[in-house]
Amino acid sequence: IEIYFNDGIINSGTQIHLIDMNGNQIINEITKAEIDKYQIPLNNFATGTYILNIISNGASYNSKIIIVK
C-alpha cells in the first residue's frame, strides 16, 4: 500500500500506525524527513481487517484496510 497526502508532502514527524482488530499496533512509525509517499508492504500480513491511523499537523486520519489472500 502507498500513502500519499493531498498536498503532496508527508511532513517530518508524521505518525503512521497500523492496528489490527485486536488492538495490536503492527506498525508504529514517525517520519524523520519530508517524503512524497510512504509504503507499507502487505505481503507479510495475515488476512484480516486493519485500521490505518495517520497523525500529521495536529489532524488525525483513519482508514480501514482489508487484506484478503
Side-chain angles (χ1 to χ4, degrees):
I1 188 169
E2 293 182 346
I3 301 167
Y4 297 92
F5 275 28
N6 289 338
D7 63 6
I9 296 293
I10 299 173
N11 294 320
S12 175
T14 295
Q15 299 175 43
I16 300 172
H17 309 281
L18 187 66
I19 304 162
D20 68 15
M21 295 311 290
N22 294 320
N24 300 313
Q25 278 199 7
I26 308 302
I27 293 178
N28 182 18
E29 295 278 333
I30 298 175
T31 58
K32 302 198 181 359
E34 288 186 348
I35 53 178
D36 61 349
K37 68 180 174 182
Y38 184 84
Q39 295 182 330
I40 301 173
L42 300 177
N43 52 341
N44 292 328
F45 292 99
T47 294
T49 303
Y50 298 82
I51 300 297
L52 177 65
N53 171 252
I54 300 172
I55 302 170
S56 181
N57 296 329
S60 180
Y61 308 92
N62 293 294
S63 182
K64 181 171 34 172
I65 306 292
I66 299 173
I67 299 174
V68 179
K69 295 185 176 186

